[in-house]
Amino acid sequence: METTIALAGNPNSGKTTLFNALTGAHQHVGNYPGVTVEKKCGIFTFDDKRFNVVDLPGTYSLTAYSLEEVVARDFLALEKPDMVINIVDASNLERNLYLSLQILEMGLPVCIALNMMDVAKKRGVTIDIEKLSKLLGVPIAATVARDGKKGTIELIETISKIFHTSNDSNNQQSNSKINNNRLLSLIKISYGNDIDNAILDIEKIVNEYSFLTDKYPSRWVALKFLENDEQIIKLAQKHGDLFDRVLCDTCKCDPNKCNIFKQISQQCDTKFIQKIFQIVTGVSEHLQQTEETYPEAVIADRRYGYINSLLKQGVVHHHYDSEKLRTSDKIDKVVTHRFLGPAIMVAILYSMYHFTFTYSELPISWLEGLFGLLSSSLDSIMADGLIKSLVISGVIDGVGGVLGFVPLIMFMFFFIAILEDSGYLARVAYMLDRVFRVFGLHGSSVMPFIISGGIAGGCAVPGIMATRTLKSPKERLATLLTVPFMNCGAKLPVFILLIAAFFQEHRAFFMFLITLIAWIGALAAAKLFRSTIIKGQSTPFVMELPSYRLPTFTSLLIHTWERTWQYIKKAGTVILGISIVLWAMMTFPSVPADIQNKTPETALKYSIAGRIGSSIENITQFAGFDWRINIALLGGFAAKEVVVSTLGTAYSLSDVDPEQTDTLAKKLSNSPDFRPLTAISLIIFTMFYSPCFVSVVCISRESGSWRWGLFSILFNTAFAFTFAVIIYQLGSMMGF
Amino acid sequence: MNRMSIKSKIALREMKDNQRGIILSVNANGEMGRRIRDMGLVPGASISIQGRAPLYDPVAIRIMGFTLTLRNNEADYIMVELES
């Protein structure tokens, strides 16, 4: 029989490190049903016993405001793990115990892993573990998760001892289930007379209507009503409905039309929800009149008060001044300094960026070589024809396109993991929040923007995935919808081609201008989203600046691999399909045999893509685009580099290498219908129009809905077209 | 709580670097109030200003031995009694 253990704890308490130390490589990552919160599961065995470990999202509290909190709370209540290991950061005991109290109040079997004892000791804090264990009524084990297995032995022994003794002492129980009473702490915090009485009153009603009593202790449910908990209130409303429906079944009629039902449902409301609300409002009004405060505020105050008095009973000893400047503070004095801070930040971001793109070049070229070898060997083996063309142009080019990004994504995530795990990312958010807030974004939005090509030459795919570090849902959505506006590495060949063809003498200036325009466009769009479709108050910034920490190599690798593998799995399957579709569109129908002049250009014009390109010429001419440009942009939907190679085909140059565009550039600048103004219009359009397909897949996945993916295709294209038309028309009027 | 020292009661936003104080009240409700309180910003807690971001917003404070940042408009909800 298996035993399920849930790991719960604050962010930065070393929870993930402990999880890695316990399970090693035996873990997998998934999502909680319906939400994008990561669910990590793993197993470890000890004394021939198998333990299933679930790593819950890191939270400070168990209210229902953030997605992570709801997920953690639902898992604890509904899945009923055999034990909850609550990781508590010993160097930050007070705030960590705030969560512990809430878990204990849920009536779950808890074992505390007192982590980072080494850090606490260094800060001159000693903790009387036995005393704390006795006061809280739960077993506590000291751990140093950073030291891997060695640092968690005591914890594993404690866990297995609990399960062992409970088996001996209670043979009637199933082997995997432990005797809950042994672990259940009877914690009952007093919240003051007013609230305590209200709790008792609500408890009575909750029990009478058996509302959620199978899942939570009634005292906890009562507390949640007083805390104004949205989730519980919603459930209570549903419970009332359900209660009515059961009654209505007795008269077997349509509840919407039944008069008896209406009466009962009104009564029901009065009896259940109204009764509870009456108590809650009564207490709220009383507290506001007498103490100018709210029940939820009193509850939080009392919890911290309880912890304070607990720790004052000789649990914690400070050996020297706890407010003494720590190493972490000293680093912050420099790193977040008014002038030095931003300079250091630019240097770090730039070098990270530089390293990623420089060092991923080699493995990318290996992969490209591998795929080149594959297609050239297939080229010589297979007979000419449609199947060969499908395999080489459709399948290999498509899959190769996705896998070609993999080294880049791995490097990027590795560096992000370093910044994240060391604690620096929180400082970046802290320093830049003021700037990004103006546009309805968050300080943490800067990372995704830079990765996507904020300094020209990134990639939107890892950028979109990096928005996971953002904890505020609205700001996160606005960020992931606008990062594709940045100039990724695949757009650069297009810009370089056009600049080389028309503005060769002002190259640097134009590149700088293009970067600037991308930022302006992205931030303006973010502002537009945040004041229309993703309207709403900004999420509170209240954020911890964790102490700087040297990341462990294992967790960096695990972090990197997890995200890379998710990318390969999801994007890989979809891009294969879309590249086959695009191939078919550019191939069929093929030119009839009786036509003499069979250049690639005529073949392309004859295909579906060519026909689409020609048919929308009527509209696109306002931006200065003819059918050739239209096809190229259509191809760019698969990957932006394709714009260049398709333009080459359309201008009857077979095989244009995106890196060697001199001949194409000459051809373009000599072409009568390709003016410098067309080039500018095309640059603007390429910059802003629909993200490439892999990005669209990522946007859909990360936002949790295909609608946002579709939205980004339509909105971005409309946005880009509007700008391109304005520029082209104004330019034409001025005679360019 | 010393009612005599009303003069030294100010909003957290107005506190200077390295100044210390005790939280008197948190006048925020709903999500904002909850987030603030969950992080330990409750009446009676002792805080000090660690520093400010380069654009003077957000502010970093030290509370119960860890560092917390919040925006100035969020700091407005918190009243503090300065330590002399």
Side-chain angles (χ1 to χ4, degrees):
Chain A
M1 284 292 276
E2 282 181 358
T3 310
T4 305
I5 292 175
L7 295 189
N10 280 191
N12 310 308
S13 61
K15 198 164 56 63
T16 308
T17 319
L18 182 77
F19 178 72
N20 291 338
L22 282 177
T23 62
H26 305 283
Q27 50 171 282
H28 64 269
V29 190
N31 273 12
Y32 286 93
V35 292
T36 48
V37 178
E38 278 176 9
K39 180 182 186 177
K40 286 174 149 189
C41 302
I43 46 163
F44 77 91
T45 40
F46 186 79
D47 273 359
D48 295 332
K49 229 173 143 30
R50 246 167 88 96
F51 292 92
N52 261 329
V53 190
V54 179
D55 187 20
L56 297 177
T59 59
Y60 294 108
S61 172
L62 285 179
T63 54
Y65 277 116
S66 81
L67 209 53
E68 282 83 7
E69 288 176 4
V70 176
V71 165
R73 193 166 100 176
D74 281 353
F75 186 88
L76 291 177
L78 307 179
E79 310 276 323
K80 292 240 178 282
D82 297 301
M83 192 201 287
V84 182
I85 298 182
N86 175 212
I87 293 93
V88 168
D89 175 358
S91 64
N92 201 341
L93 206 52
E94 276 172 279
R95 201 204 55 220
N96 276 259
L97 285 177
Y98 185 74
L99 178 71
S100 311
L101 286 190
Q102 292 184 56
I103 300 172
L104 285 171
E105 278 186 318
M106 280 179 84
L108 293 159
V110 178
C111 171
I112 287 181
L114 204 53
N115 200 21
M116 305 205 211
M117 286 296 279
D118 50 336
V119 182
K121 204 179 267 172
K122 237 184 255 165
R123 291 189 187 166
V125 180
T126 47
I127 298 163
D128 188 338
I129 295 179
E130 227 161 276
K131 196 159 210 170
L132 183 62
S133 166
K134 207 172 276 168
L135 286 170
L136 283 172
V138 296
I140 299 181
T143 54
V144 181
R146 291 177 58 90
D147 293 351
K149 264 261 159 15
K150 212 175 75 200
T152 56
I153 288 287
E154 193 189 330
L155 175 68
I156 296 174
E157 278 169 353
T158 311
I159 300 168
S160 85
K161 210 187 286 166
I162 293 163
F163 283 98
H164 201 67
T165 44
S166 59
N167 287 346
D168 289 348
S169 66
N170 202 340
N171 283 329
Q172 287 105 314
Q173 274 198 326
S174 101
N175 265 1
S176 78
K177 293 285 165 204
I178 45 165
N179 184 353
N180 279 352
N181 294 333
R182 184 170 281 279
L183 285 170
L184 274 190
S185 160
L186 291 166
I187 207 161
K188 244 187 193 170
I189 302 167
S190 165
Y191 291 104
N193 269 342
D194 297 325
I195 290 187
D196 280 349
N197 288 336
I199 290 176
L200 288 178
D201 290 343
I202 298 174
E203 253 191 282
K204 255 183 234 152
I205 302 166
V206 167
N207 280 327
E208 191 185 328
Y209 285 79
S210 43
F211 171 60
L212 293 181
T213 39
D214 52 329
K215 294 180 184 124
Y216 308 96
S218 51
R219 184 181 162 83
W220 185 84
V221 178
L223 251 178
K224 287 294 136 181
F225 276 115
L226 287 164
E227 280 185 297
N228 215 352
D229 188 284
E230 279 172 35
Q231 198 195 18
I232 296 295
I233 290 171
K234 244 181 229 154
L235 284 176
Q237 269 150 0
K238 249 189 225 156
H239 186 75
D241 283 353
L242 202 73
F243 206 81
D244 303 337
R245 216 164 287 273
V246 173
L247 284 180
C248 206
D249 276 347
T250 53
C251 78
K252 302 262 182 268
C253 63
D254 180 0
N256 294 324
K257 289 176 190 156
C258 175
N259 276 331
I260 304 170
F261 172 78
K262 266 184 194 152
Q263 275 176 2
I264 295 171
S265 91
Q266 271 160 10
Q267 277 172 12
C268 238
D269 267 357
T270 326
K271 269 185 184 160
F272 183 59
I273 296 174
Q274 302 279 20
K275 237 171 162 178
I276 288 175
F277 279 171
Q278 227 170 1
I279 301 171
V280 175
T281 17
V283 144
S284 295
E285 277 169 9
H286 178 74
L287 283 175
Q288 270 177 51
Q289 277 163 10
T290 53
E291 289 168 56
E292 289 179 42
T293 180
Y294 316 94
E296 41 176 314
V298 176
I299 292 171
D301 295 356
R302 288 282 176 155
R303 278 196 190 125
Y304 272 109
Y306 185 89
I307 294 167
N308 252 321
S309 65
L310 204 80
L311 298 183
K312 272 189 189 134
Q313 294 172 46
V315 173
V316 179
H317 292 282
H318 295 280
H319 295 291
Y320 38 85
D321 184 16
S322 58
E323 300 296 323
K324 174 180 99 107
L325 220 55
R326 299 176 197 146
T327 324
S328 196
D329 300 333
K330 285 179 199 153
I331 298 173
D332 267 340
K333 283 269 178 265
V334 180
V335 160
T336 63
H337 181 266
R338 192 161 154 69
F339 300 112
L340 279 177
I344 292 171
M345 179 171 63
V346 168
I348 288 180
L349 293 182
Y350 183 79
S351 54
M352 175 192 107
Y353 199 73
H354 182 75
F355 277 120
T356 305
F357 285 95
T358 315
Y359 288 107
S360 63
E361 227 166 63
L362 196 63
I364 284 180
S365 70
W366 289 338
L367 277 177
E368 273 170 0
L370 196 71
F371 282 104
L373 197 70
L374 194 64
S375 56
S376 64
S377 51
L378 281 176
D379 195 28
S380 54
I381 296 168
M382 291 171 78
D384 277 348
L386 277 180
I387 296 178
K388 179 172 159 180
S389 159
L390 170 68
V391 170
I392 292 176
S393 310
V395 178
I396 295 180
D397 283 1
V399 175
V402 173
L403 292 183
F405 277 126
V406 167
L408 187 75
I409 285 182
M410 277 180 84
F411 274 92
M412 198 58 111
F413 280 140
F414 185 75
F415 285 113
I416 295 177
I418 294 179
L419 295 190
E420 216 180 335
D421 291 2
S422 65
Y424 185 70
L425 208 54
R427 270 77 184 180
V428 174
Y430 166 64
M431 283 190 278
L432 281 173
D433 182 67
R434 189 70 196 86
V435 181
F436 278 78
R437 197 199 317 163
V438 176
F439 303 99
L441 299 172
H442 188 275
S444 307
S445 304
V446 69
M447 211 40 155
F449 273 107
I450 292 191
I451 295 166
S452 305
I455 327 174
C459 176
V461 173
I464 292 162
M465 286 160 88
T467 58
R468 285 194 185 169
T469 53
L470 266 153
K471 294 291 174 227
S472 0
K474 286 189 194 110
E475 285 87 342
R476 177 164 182 255
L477 187 58
T479 308
L480 69 85
L481 285 176
T482 48
V483 290
F485 289 152
M486 294 288 120
N487 294 322
C488 69
K491 289 180 197 170
L492 289 185
V494 186
F495 300 152
I496 290 167
L497 165 75
L498 294 171
I499 291 174
F502 298 98
F503 316 104
Q504 184 59 37
E505 57 273 35
H506 306 293
R507 265 180 81 166
F509 171 71
F510 265 87
M511 271 320 291
F512 176 73
L513 202 65
I514 284 171
T515 310
L516 201 66
I517 293 171
W519 273 98
I520 294 170
L523 291 177
K527 181 78 190 162
L528 180 70
F529 291 153
R530 288 289 279 120
S531 40
T532 53
I533 44 170
I534 332 175
K535 206 158 51 182
Q537 275 224 319
S538 53
T539 319
F541 186 71
V542 189
M543 184 183 78
E544 185 186 359
L545 285 187
S547 299
Y548 287 103
R549 226 169 269 158
L550 209 61
T552 61
F553 198 62
T554 346
S555 71
L556 287 183
L557 289 186
I558 290 175
H559 227 105
T560 309
W561 175 243
E562 261 167 32
R563 290 176 176 177
T564 312
W565 179 238
Q566 278 188 338
Y567 166 77
I568 297 174
K569 233 173 24 186
K570 298 283 178 181
T573 44
V574 180
I575 194 77
L576 178 63
I578 200 78
S579 63
I580 290 175
V581 170
L582 271 172
W583 167 84
M585 282 172 73
M586 292 196 193
T587 313
F588 297 110
S590 41
V591 184
D594 52 312
I595 288 179
Q596 288 297 309
N597 187 15
K598 265 184 157 182
T599 60
E601 184 187 347
T602 49
L604 192 58
K605 191 166 187 180
Y606 201 79
S607 69
I608 299 178
R611 288 167 199 210
I612 295 175
S614 310
S615 67
I616 54 172
E617 229 177 20
N618 285 337
I619 308 164
T620 57
Q621 62 169 345
F622 293 111
F625 303 158
D626 64 359
W627 70 271
R628 292 185 181 89
I629 298 177
N630 290 347
I631 302 179
L633 290 170
L634 205 65
F637 182 56
K640 297 279 157 85
E641 306 95 316
V642 177
V643 172
V644 174
S645 55
T646 318
L647 262 185
T649 320
Y651 278 93
S652 270
L653 282 169
S654 53
D655 259 357
V656 174
D657 183 348
E659 310 292 325
Q660 305 245 308
T661 50
D662 294 358
T663 35
L664 181 58
K666 232 169 251 159
K667 194 136 192 165
L668 288 182
S669 59
N670 293 335
S671 164
D673 32 73
F674 215 112
R675 294 185 283 158
L677 189 61
T678 320
I680 293 177
S681 166
L682 183 56
I683 286 174
I684 297 290
F685 191 82
T686 309
M687 195 186 299
F688 291 132
Y689 89 113
S690 170
C692 68
F693 201 79
V694 191
S695 304
V696 172
V697 172
C698 285
I699 290 174
S700 309
R701 261 176 47 70
E702 293 299 316
S703 63
S705 157
W706 278 99
R707 263 179 256 158
W708 285 118
L710 194 67
F711 172 83
S712 74
I713 297 178
L714 297 176
F715 175 85
N716 293 16
T717 309
F719 188 82
F721 190 66
T722 314
F723 277 97
V725 168
I726 291 173
I727 286 169
Y728 190 76
Q729 293 302 327
L730 279 180
S732 300
M733 269 193 280
M734 288 191 283
F736 285 104
Chain B
M1 225 172 286
N2 187 0
R3 293 274 173 205
M4 295 300 287
S5 56
I6 271 174
K7 265 182 197 163
S8 60
K9 179 183 164 179
I10 60 168
L12 202 159
R13 184 206 275 257
E14 274 124 48
M15 283 175 78
K16 308 239 162 26
D17 277 14
N18 300 319
Q19 227 170 13
R20 313 166 142 279
I22 309 254
I23 296 181
L24 282 176
S25 62
V26 178
N27 303 314
N29 212 348
E31 179 176 5
M32 175 87 74
R34 187 172 304 233
R35 288 248 181 157
I36 290 174
R37 279 190 283 268
D38 279 352
M39 298 300 275
L41 292 164
V42 292
S46 162
I47 58 164
S48 64
I49 304 289
Q50 284 285 106
R52 285 190 155 82
L55 293 167
Y56 290 122
D57 186 14
V59 56
I61 61 170
R62 166 61 49 87
I63 174 163
M64 296 189 306
F66 72 98
T67 311
L68 192 69
T69 64
L70 63 167
R71 291 175 178 158
N72 278 342
N73 57 9
E74 290 153 11
D76 279 340
Y77 293 108
I78 301 167
M79 295 306 291
V80 181
E81 186 182 357
L82 289 182
E83 231 167 62
S84 45

